[in-house]
């Protein structure tokens, strides 16, 4: 295919991103082992919720699952130090994504982000500087990279922020300040600011600030004049949400990810800034920016296709109409982070061929964690219902008693209790068996 | 100015899209003189303070039962047996209050040496196992008794032994029947009395340990006064779900885990006839915790969700009324009130698992820790 000329920039910023991301990836995997989550999430359950089309993904024996997490930690370290970088990135992507595909109840937006970013690393040559790969093969060294690489990462990170912000443009978030009102009141023990969290006004202020932050932070990061201040605010925002809420590595991933908005040579300036005192000396630093590199047009087209998908896919929920927080169609892979407090009480009424009815509790098949996660997601409730029906016998009808509360509202049935769940479709078509949102 | 106008327009626009408001209207906490944290501290203090009196009542009832069994051991007769049975009823009903209010942290299995099962292991009880121990006279040695599985000791074993018939409940192929050792027993009543006495002594000792752990935990929760402390206390409310609704009512009534129309063989306390009264005590205990002064209902009111407490109050009042009848669960079922009682309790537990934990931002018991986003 035809080559095109792409402006080249200093690769220092993206190399630094590789190092930071590798460290976060290593730590993310290690803490799973240290917290005992490998056993809890992959050995204790007897039933796993598959993602549509990935039913063939099965959990491995516990010792293999532990091995997978240890390997992930090592691969994260290899990415950070740039040793066999592309292979390490590819393996990290495959193993991490495999683990995420085992059970839907483990799905988190930031795990999806890790999968996406590490897949991008497979295509990005970020091992040409400050990497063991360069020590082994000096010919690899380069301090330049095509500007397309930088914009690719910026767009991906920007998509996360913008869609997380747009998800907050709802009456619950902005008018009722929910679920923040609920969440903040239970966090009055937080040092320093705890006393303020008692008040509903705090939830309103934080709801609006959160909305404005997510929707506009990319603009402030892109504008050189506001970049520093925006990043300081960003770090403060993520650290405070990390302290307030149990969101694991998400703050650290975003703090690292947002560095892609810095000047491409910021690490050089930063390190030099520590050594060079005068402004003149700093100005005289070599700047590799300038010139062009030729790259196949297919590379650019691939990135354009990727970005288009990332722009369009989170919007798919609008094809379904209704409230995505209720029916959840289009909820996953759409960056709708921390926007709902949803709790359900679920039981299945199983009617045998002879008309005898039995009530089956999800806890018979699920761990407490799985039952909690499932209780607000109609597709998972239906999948378990079908599983229970199949286990019970032939010609069994299964009806769901699913009382669900969204953002503190009085619980109402999430699924039409008169519909036999054995006959419903849990694909991509609209769920006619899910009730209207409260 | 433009930004302000923009925000105002968005607010107006979105308010028109709003359907039902997430929570009901109520006084804002900021207008009240008591902060949420202070109120929570009072709730934790009140609920944990109830514990000591419950244990003391239970322990005094245990002493009375021990005395009755001591007399029975000296001279096994019908009058002594009746007295022991009456004492057992007091013990069991006071235990039912403790059991339904026993708040334990999720990791209690590792931290606590004595659990609820060491005092009352129903529905794990193995009657055949108790009969086998009668043959082996395990009760003669305290250490041997302590090392037995919980399903052959505790208050459930005491109930079985107090209402024991001369037959055993082991299958014909079990050793005690196959080798004829059961038939060879000539002093069954004496053995029962000794087994009973030894079991109650063990329950007393276990209760002492459990009480200390529970009171220590209570003190620690009081001191910390954190969201986590409240969460630990809320764990006891879910006894109503898995134990009362599912095990005590739904299963015997044939609604759950039952291959026949009914499964009254799964009914709790079927020998002593306390099956319904125990549920009544559990409901009263729930009331004492939930509607303590102040209790979870006050936290709900402070969180603009008084309707949850009101709905639970209404269902609980009716359930208490139904369960106060002096009949067994089987007899209640015959009158048609059994399923009504089940529905009422389910309506309470539905709320506990949905908007109650939502509004107070609590976690259900035994939920594994993990990340969110």
């Amino acid at each position: 295919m035809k080559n095109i000329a792409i402006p080249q920039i200093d690769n220092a910023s993206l190399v630094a991103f590789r190092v930071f991301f590798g460290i976060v990836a290593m730590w993310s995997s290690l803490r799973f082992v240290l917290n005992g989550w490998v056993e809890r999430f992959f050995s204790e359950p007897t039933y796993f919720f598959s993602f549509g089309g990935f039913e063939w993904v099965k959990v491995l024996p516990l010792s293999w699952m532990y091995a997978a997490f240890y390997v992930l930690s090592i691969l994260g370290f290899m990415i950070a130090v740039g040793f066999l970088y592309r292979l390490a990135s590819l393996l990290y992507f495959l193993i991490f994504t495999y683990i995420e595909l085992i059970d839907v109840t483990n799905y988190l937006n930031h795990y999806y982000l890790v999968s996406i970013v590490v897949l991008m690393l497979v295509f990005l040559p970020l091992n040409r500087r400050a990497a063991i790969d360069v020590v082994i093969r000096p010919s690899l060294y380069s301090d330049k990279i095509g500007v397309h690489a930088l914009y690719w990462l910026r767009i991906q990170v920007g998509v996360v922020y913008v869609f997380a912000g747009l998800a907050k443009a709802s009456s619950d978030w902005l008018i009722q300040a929910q679920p923040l009102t609920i969440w903040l009141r239970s966090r009055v023990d937080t040092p320093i600011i705890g006393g303020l969290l008692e008040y509903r006004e705090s939830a309103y202020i934080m709801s609006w600030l959160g909305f404005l932050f997510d929707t506009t932070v990319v603009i402030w990061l892109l504008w050189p004049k506001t970049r520093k201040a925006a990043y300081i605010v960003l770090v403060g925002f993520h650290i405070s949400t990390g302290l307030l809420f149990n969101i694991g590595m998400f703050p650290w991933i975003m703090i690292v990810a947002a560095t892609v908005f810095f000047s491409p040579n910021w690490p050089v300036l930063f390190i030099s800034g520590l050594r060079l005192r005068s402004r003149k000396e700093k100005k005289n630093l070599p700047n590799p920016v300038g010139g062009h590199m030729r790259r196949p047009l297919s590379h650019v087209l691939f990135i354009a296709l990727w970005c288009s998908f990332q722009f369009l896919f989170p919007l798919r929920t609008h094809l379904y109409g209704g409230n995505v927080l209720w029916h959840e169609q289009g909820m996953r892979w759409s960056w709708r982070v921390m926007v709902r407090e949803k709790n359900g009480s679920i039981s299945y009424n199983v009617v045998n061929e002879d008309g005898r009815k039995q009530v089956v509790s999800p806890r018979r098949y699920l761990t407490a964690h799985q039952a909690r996660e499932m209780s607000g997601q109609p597709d998972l409730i239906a999948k378990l219902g079908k599983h229970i029906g199949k286990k019970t016998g032939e010609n069994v009808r299964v009806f769901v008693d699913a009382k669900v509360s969204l953002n503190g509202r009085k619980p109402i049935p999430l699924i039409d209790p008169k519909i036999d769940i054995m006959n419903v479709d849990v694909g991509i078509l609209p769920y006619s068996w899910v009730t209207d949102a409260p | 100015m433009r930004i302000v106008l923009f925000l105002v327009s968005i607010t107006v626009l979105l308010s028109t899209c709003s359907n039902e408001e997430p929570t009901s209207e109520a006084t804002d906490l900021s207008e009240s003189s008591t902060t949420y944290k202070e109120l929570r501290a009072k709730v934790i203090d009140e609920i944990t303070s109830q514990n000591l009196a419950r244990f003391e009542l239970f322990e005094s009832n245990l002493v009375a039962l021990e005395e009755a069994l001591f007399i029975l051991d000296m001279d096994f007769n019908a009058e002594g047996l009746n007295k022991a049975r009456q004492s057992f009823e007091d013990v069991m009903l006071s235990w039912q209050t403790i059991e339904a209010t026993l708040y334990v942290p999720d990791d209690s299995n590792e931290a606590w040496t004595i659990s609820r099962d060491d005092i009352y292991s129903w529905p794990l009880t193995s009657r055949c196992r108790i009969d086998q121990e009668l043959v082996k006279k395990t009760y003669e040695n305290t250490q041997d008794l302590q090392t037995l599985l919980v399903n052959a000791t505790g208050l459930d074993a005491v109930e079985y032994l107090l209402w024991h018939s001369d037959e055993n409940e082991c299958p014909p192929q079990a050793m005690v029947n196959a080798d004829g050792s059961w038939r060879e027993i000539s002093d069954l009543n004496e053995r029962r009395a000794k087994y009973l006495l030894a079991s109650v002594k063990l329950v007393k000792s276990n209760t002492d340990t459990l009480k200390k752990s529970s009171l220590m935990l209570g003190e620690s929760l009081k001191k910390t006064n954190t969201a986590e402390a409240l969460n630990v206390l809320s764990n006891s409310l879910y006894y109503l779900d898995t134990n009362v609704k599912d095990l005590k009512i739904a299963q015997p009534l044939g609604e759950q885990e039952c291959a026949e129309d009914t499964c009254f063989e799964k009914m709790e306390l079927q020998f002593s006839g306390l099956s319904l009264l125990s549920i009544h005590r559990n409901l009263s205990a729930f009331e004492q915790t939930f509607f303590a002064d102040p209790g979870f209902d006050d936290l709900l009111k402070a969180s603009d969700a008084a309707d949850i407490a009101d709905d639970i109050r209404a269902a609980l009042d009716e359930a208490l009324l139904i369960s106060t009848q002096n009949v067994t669960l089987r007899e209640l079922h015959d009158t048609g009130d059994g399923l009504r009682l089940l529905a009422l309790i389910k309506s309470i537990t539905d709320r506990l698992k949905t908007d109650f934990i939502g509004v107070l931002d609590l976690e259900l018991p035994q939920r594994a820790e993990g990340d969110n986003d």
Side-chain angles (χ1 to χ4, degrees), chain B residues 43 47 230 233-234 237 289-290 295-300 356 360:
Chain B
V43 172
I47 294 174
L230 189 72
L233 289 184
S234 76
L237 300 174
T289 304
F290 196 91
F296 284 98
D297 59 327
D298 296 291
L299 288 172
L300 288 169
F356 171 73
L360 297 185

Side-chain angles (χ1 to χ4, degrees), chain B residues 91-335:
Chain B
V91 166
M92 179 47 72
L93 293 178
S94 53
W95 169 253
Q96 289 294 336
T97 306
I98 292 179
E99 178 157 284
T101 51
L102 201 60
Y103 44 83
V104 285
D106 281 350
D107 57 357
S108 62
N109 287 344
E110 293 129 43
W112 290 22
T113 50
I114 293 294
S115 74
R116 169 259 180 205
D117 286 350
D118 291 298
I119 292 169
Y120 180 53
S121 70
W122 181 86
L124 303 174
T125 324
S126 169
R127 294 176 200 159
C128 173
R129 185 71 193 267
I130 297 167
D131 290 327
Q132 287 172 332
E133 303 309 333
L134 265 177
V135 172
K136 285 196 269 181
K137 294 187 178 179
T138 315
Y139 49 83
E140 286 184 338
N141 186 315
T142 311
Q143 278 192 331
D144 289 348
L145 195 68
Q146 280 171 341
T147 52
L148 279 184
L149 289 176
V150 291
N151 62 7
T153 60
L155 294 178
D156 39 338
V158 172
E159 189 211 18
Y160 177 60
L161 289 164
L162 276 173
W163 276 268
H164 199 285
S165 69
D166 288 345
E167 298 303 316
N168 67 66
E169 296 217 10
C170 294
Q173 65 272 24
M175 192 68 89
V176 289
N177 289 323
D179 67 2
S181 51
W182 182 265
R183 266 182 282 119
E184 287 168 12
I185 297 177
S186 57
D187 56 344
L188 185 60
N189 285 341
E190 285 72 18
R191 290 188 189 207
R192 282 167 64 191
K194 289 193 186 330
Y195 196 166
L196 278 163
L197 196 56
S199 295
V200 169
K201 281 183 194 295
L202 184 59
V203 168
K204 269 180 73 184
S205 155
N206 286 342
T207 301
D208 189 51
T209 313
L210 185 69
K211 182 177 85 175
K212 281 175 186 156
S213 303
S214 181
L215 294 179
M216 266 175 62
L217 175 63
E219 285 306 311
S220 144
L221 297 178
K222 260 190 237 182
K223 275 182 199 158
T224 54
N225 178 29
T226 57
E228 182 51 36
L230 189 72
N231 212 107
V232 171
L233 289 184
S234 76
N235 283 351
S236 72
L237 300 174
Y238 295 90
Y239 180 87
L240 212 57
D241 184 46
T242 44
N243 292 57
V244 179
K245 175 174 70 69
D246 294 348
L247 293 174
K248 295 191 179 189
I249 307 178
Q251 290 194 17
L253 297 192
E255 291 290 302
Q256 204 171 323
E257 312 252 340
C258 177
E260 307 296 326
D261 286 344
T262 54
C263 284
F264 284 111
E265 71 278 6
K266 290 185 174 183
M267 194 168 68
E268 188 196 24
L269 297 167
Q270 49 190 275
F271 300 108
S272 55
L274 297 174
S275 52
L276 188 60
L277 209 45
S278 84
I279 292 168
H280 182 76
R281 285 300 173 101
N282 297 153
L283 290 169
S284 299
F286 173 85
E287 184 183 31
Q288 288 165 24
T289 304
F290 196 91
F291 295 100
D293 188 20
F296 284 98
D297 59 327
D298 296 291
L299 288 172
L300 288 169
K301 283 171 198 160
S303 304
D304 307 345
D307 61 314
I308 301 173
D310 293 344
D311 291 350
I312 288 178
R313 175 84 264 173
L316 185 63
D317 282 346
E318 196 185 340
L320 279 165
L321 192 65
I322 291 176
S323 61
T324 200
Q325 298 174 52
N326 193 20
V327 292
T328 65
L329 183 66
R330 183 196 286 257
E331 289 160 348
L332 185 79
H333 184 56
D334 293 341
T335 66

Side-chain angles (χ1 to χ4, degrees), chain A residues 187 189 198 345 373 401, chain B residues 36 40 346 350 361 367:
Chain A
R187 285 160 176 81
D189 310 306
E198 298 245 357
S345 175
E373 294 298 320
D401 179 5
Chain B
Y36 185 83
R40 192 183 63 193
K346 185 176 184 302
D350 278 347
D361 197 21
R367 197 214 160 186

Side-chain angles (χ1 to χ4, degrees), chain B residues 16-85:
Chain B
T16 57
C17 305
S18 167
N19 297 327
E20 189 195 327
E21 291 191 3
T23 52
S24 61
E25 287 175 35
T27 318
D28 202 317
L29 192 69
S30 56
E31 292 167 12
S32 161
S33 57
T34 309
T35 65
Y36 185 83
K37 194 172 181 177
E38 286 165 349
L39 177 62
R40 192 183 63 193
K42 286 179 185 169
V43 172
I44 293 171
D45 189 55
E46 173 59 28
I47 294 174
T48 52
S49 302
Q50 295 173 351
N51 236 3
L52 181 62
R54 289 189 191 118
F55 271 105
E56 283 176 348
L57 175 65
F58 178 60
E59 284 177 324
S60 72
N61 287 334
L62 272 178
V63 170
L65 176 61
E66 190 183 19
E67 283 169 5
L69 291 173
F70 184 75
I71 294 167
L72 191 68
D73 185 37
M74 304 298 278
D75 178 18
F76 197 100
N77 58 50
E79 190 189 347
L81 186 61
N82 271 338
K83 277 192 176 168
R85 284 174 176 175

Side-chain angles (χ1 to χ4, degrees), chain A residues 79-97:
Chain A
I79 292 170
V81 300
F83 176 58
L84 299 175
Y85 155 80
R86 288 202 190 223
L87 179 67
S89 301
L90 178 65
L91 289 176
Y92 195 101
F93 166 72
L94 292 174
I95 297 172
F96 190 84
T97 306

Side-chain angles (χ1 to χ4, degrees), chain A residues 362-379:
Chain A
R363 286 303 308 277
R364 195 169 154 188
Y365 294 88
L366 306 178
T367 63
H369 164 76
Q370 288 179 304
R372 167 80 171 82
E373 294 298 320
M374 175 215 66
S375 70
Q377 303 186 49
D379 58 337

Side-chain angles (χ1 to χ4, degrees), chain A residues 56-118:
Chain A
W56 49 273
V57 176
K58 300 291 176 203
V59 71
L60 291 168
L62 183 61
S63 53
W64 283 84
M65 293 307 298
Y66 267 108
F69 278 94
Y70 282 120
V71 169
L72 279 180
S73 305
I74 295 166
L75 292 171
F77 179 73
M78 287 168 69
I79 292 170
V81 300
F83 176 58
L84 299 175
Y85 155 80
R86 288 202 190 223
L87 179 67
S89 301
L90 178 65
L91 289 176
Y92 195 101
F93 166 72
L94 292 174
I95 297 172
F96 190 84
T97 306
Y98 154 72
I99 288 168
E100 292 318 301
L101 288 174
I102 290 172
D103 190 358
V104 184
T105 60
N106 293 331
Y107 169 83
L108 289 177
N109 288 290
H110 67 272
Y111 293 164
Y112 171 48
L113 180 62
V114 168
S115 273
I116 287 179
V117 171
V118 83

Side-chain angles (χ1 to χ4, degrees), chain A residues 242-258:
Chain A
L243 290 172
L244 280 172
F245 307 113
N246 191 19
I247 48 178
M249 297 302 290
F250 185 63
W252 303 109
I253 291 170
M254 295 316 290
I255 287 170
V256 166

